[in-house]
Amino acid sequence: MAMRGPRLLAAVLTVSALVLGACGTGGGGSGNDAATEFASCSVTAGVADARNEPVGNEDVIIAAFVGWDESAASAYLMGRILADNGYNAQVKTLDIGVAFSATADGIVNALTDVWLPTTHRSYIDQYRARMEPLGCWYDHGRSTIAVNSSSPARSIADLATMGSDYGNTIVGIEPGAGETKLIQNSVIPEYGLEKLTLRSTSTAEMLAALEQAHTDRTNIAVVMWRPNWAYAAFDIRDLEDPKGTMGGQEGLWNFATKGFTDRSPRAAQMFTNLILSDENIAGLEELMVRKYGRADPEAAVSEWLTAHPDFEDRLVSGTLT
């Protein structure tokens, strides 16, 4: 998957520069390229009963990426479960570059939304020597073009002849996002979609257009990625991409400051035990975004855990599948 990219590039670069200056830039990989080391993931690798591990250091700070809903969902979920199991856990929302730097420096202890082997490869190549992986919790992250399930297109290639069914438009996200670049530079020329307009504004406007099309029962084609709460909220499906223009499959990983497992063994094992299905992550994201307006993620997590009463115990005991 290509990186969604900064939502407001100038602001992000300014904040990144300021905070990275404070955190230190550090660097140097471990000699292993992230694309090779994390080419695939198994969500069950390393899973074990966390109750067999000592608690260790009780303070855990988790970073969530600004504007990435699955990052907030996984971070706040783990924060709540850690807090229920004896840890002083908190979540800090940071720009992506700042979050990686702060984790490498030990200012933040863990990240829950590291996309590999492609999206965050450069960060892991830079900071791998000062970070440690704590398992992969989702194994089929990817960028897509999605349509309402009732519409005719089955493949991206169909849009060349069925574009009028979708207003000759693909509703995109931010102009600087990785998916936008993929569609402009790869998808459109490879599939001959030059007659279609890629409407790039923002993720929020894309989701608003998707909701309006759902209400009006009109056809729509949108830039999408998995995991995403929109799959739980709307009846949409991904278009096939036989030419592979939207990039390959990725895993979503937990990473921590190097030495975290030694200092907080039970917390480290709990991160490794995290596994979230499409239904689970989309449902939690949908609660956070649609019901709580991203304003009260803790309340969304509480409601979600109430509806999934065995999830926490199964995570701690290492029996999620």
Side-chain angles (χ1 to χ4, degrees):
M1 169 174 171
M3 190 158 126
R4 254 156 278 168
R7 297 293 194 258
L8 297 171
L9 185 58
V12 165
L13 290 175
T14 301
V15 173
S16 297
L18 290 172
V19 182
L20 282 171
C23 293
T25 56
S30 62
N32 242 349
D33 182 90
T36 300
E37 187 177 3
F38 302 102
S40 62
C41 77
S42 168
V43 295
T44 57
V47 169
D49 193 338
R51 296 170 297 185
N52 296 329
E53 302 292 341
V55 172
N57 190 322
E58 296 178 352
D59 296 321
V60 180
I61 301 174
I62 308 168
F65 300 146
V66 173
W68 291 49
D69 291 321
E70 81 281 350
S71 181
S74 55
Y76 278 98
L77 177 63
M78 285 305 302
R80 165 62 183 272
I81 294 175
L82 288 169
D84 288 347
N85 286 271
Y87 288 92
N88 302 315
Q90 61 175 302
V91 175
K92 290 187 178 295
T93 301
L94 301 170
D95 169 61
I96 293 171
V98 176
F100 276 97
S101 176
T103 304
D105 290 340
I107 297 169
V108 165
N109 304 114
L111 303 170
T112 60
D113 195 32
V114 181
W115 291 66
L116 292 171
T118 304
T119 301
H120 294 142
R121 170 182 175 178
S122 62
Y123 292 113
I124 296 303
D125 283 342
Q126 181 178 4
Y127 296 117
R128 178 69 177 91
R130 295 191 285 133
M131 297 174 69
E132 59 184 54
L134 296 178
C136 170
W137 55 267
Y138 184 88
D139 62 4
H140 50 285
R142 64 183 306 116
S143 294
T144 71
I145 293 177
V147 297
N148 53 300
S149 295
S150 60
S151 65
R154 298 291 164 180
S155 165
I156 296 175
D158 291 336
L159 295 178
T161 56
M162 299 179 181
S164 60
D165 291 306
Y166 301 90
N168 290 314
T169 299
I170 299 172
V171 183
I173 53 175
E174 288 72 13
E179 288 91 337
T180 303
K181 302 301 183 185
L182 274 179
I183 292 173
Q184 290 172 333
N185 300 329
S186 181
V187 175
I188 289 175
E190 285 291 327
Y191 286 106
L193 306 183
E194 288 80 3
K195 292 182 179 179
L196 273 68
T197 298
L198 174 61
R199 194 173 82 209
S200 296
T201 51
S202 69
T203 299
E205 290 194 29
M206 179 275 289
L207 291 168
L210 182 58
E211 184 158 19
Q212 189 63 53
H214 174 77
T215 299
D216 296 342
R217 298 187 178 184
T218 55
N219 294 334
I220 190 169
V222 299
V223 175
M224 190 54 62
W225 55 91
R226 289 182 179 269
N228 194 300
W229 61 269
Y231 289 99
F234 308 110
D235 185 15
I236 58 175
R237 56 178 167 78
D238 298 331
L239 292 179
E240 296 173 5
D241 180 18
K243 297 186 178 183
T245 57
M246 293 295 289
Q249 187 164 291
E250 296 210 83
L252 277 61
W253 294 75
N254 302 305
F255 270 78
T257 308
K258 188 173 183 178
F260 179 77
T261 298
D262 293 335
R263 292 188 297 272
S264 302
R266 185 176 298 181
Q269 186 61 58
M270 289 167 65
F271 277 108
T272 301
N273 290 353
L274 177 65
I275 300 172
L276 287 167
S277 65
D278 279 303
E279 180 182 0
N280 284 343
I281 187 63
L284 178 53
E285 285 185 56
E286 184 182 13
L287 274 177
M288 284 187 169
V289 174
R290 303 191 83 197
K291 181 170 183 178
Y292 291 96
R294 299 187 178 91
D296 196 348
E298 293 92 348
V301 167
S302 292
E303 182 172 333
W304 190 86
L305 285 172
T306 297
H308 299 79
D310 64 339
F311 183 88
E312 182 171 332
D313 287 343
R314 292 182 64 199
L315 182 146
V316 176
S317 63
T319 58
L320 289 174
T321 57

